[in-house]
Amino acid sequence: MKRRPLVIGNWKMNGDRGAAVRLAAAAADVAAALSGVVDVGISPPAVWLERAAAVAGSARVLAQTSSEHTGGAHTGELSCAMLSEAGATGTLVGHSERRQFNGEDDAVVASKLREARESGLEVVLCVGESLEARDAGATLDVVEGQLEGALAALDQLAGIVIAYEPVWAIGTGRTATPEQAQEVHAAVRSWLARRFGEAAAAATRILYGGSVKGSNAAALLSCADIDGALVGGASLDAAEFAAICRAAAA
Ligand code: PEP
């Protein structure tokens, strides 16, 4: 079964308001050009969600993180309802930078995922192993443990996208080979099939993330279980991001 590719640009904490509007408008153009063939998304800093969403056209707009709480005394946090009102239709959950630098463990990731789904946001659940884990041969143990930690309480996968992002490939310029990525993507899909059934696993998009660029996107995206990309650094360059989106269409 071929799933429609999804390519999302995660801008992280980069740029300014002008750049956000320009990148969002460029994403709108590529989303329109690839309409029905590739789904395009952007994940701007929260302060610019609303402005970016206003010019993003059919590109979907996702928050980079969202609170596990519905509301109340949580200084500095943003609820899923607030993010929706600002134009987000989805959110990243469990990005490795949040796990590493903001202390988000599997329990927090599971709570955030539950809250986002209950609020009607699409969830891009990020999983991936460290270099130490890969070198120790523990890649699949780590990834399956993160899937279990985040998804154990769910009874169905609707509204969930998985992003496999090896931590050693994020922002390092080092990319997993297509073979390395495909091996983990296939294992993720098997895990989903065991847990949620073949049909649900076959319908779920599994994105690859980790130094994806225009020059390596086609080889990665041609793999059977790679259904798109979560793009960090390269998504800050509109032409490069468009090239990745076009590679997904091939
Ligand atoms: C990311 O942070 O999700 C990511 C994949 O970053 P980069 O493309 O810069 O490695």
Side-chain angles (χ1 to χ4, degrees), residues 117 154-160 196 200:
R117 275 179 105 232
L154 295 194
D155 52 10
Q156 45 128 343
L157 274 175
I160 307 260
F196 297 99

Side-chain angles (χ1 to χ4, degrees), residues 10 12 95 97 165 169-171 209-212 230-233:
N10 171 15
K12 309 192 185 186
H95 190 281
E97 286 153 13
E165 301 203 298
I170 295 181
S211 299
V212 176
L230 182 53
V231 185

Side-chain angles (χ1 to χ4, degrees), residues 6-12 19-31 39-45 48-64 87-92 122 124 229-231 235-236 238 241 245:
L6 169 62
V7 179
I8 300 170
N10 171 15
W11 304 347
K12 309 192 185 186
V21 170
R22 279 194 301 279
L23 284 173
D29 289 344
V30 72
D39 291 335
V40 174
I42 54 172
S43 195
W48 300 317
L49 269 175
E50 195 150 12
R51 280 175 186 260
V55 296
S58 63
R60 54 187 75 192
V61 177
L62 298 96
Q64 295 177 10
T89 57
T91 183
L92 308 185
E122 181 175 45
V124 178
L230 182 53
V231 185
S235 71
L236 298 171
F241 184 63
C245 296

Side-chain angles (χ1 to χ4, degrees), residues 49-50 53 61 63 79-90 116 119-121:
L49 269 175
E50 195 150 12
V61 177
S79 72
C80 292
M82 293 169 182
L83 294 165
S84 296
E85 208 175 351
T89 57
S119 309
L121 290 180

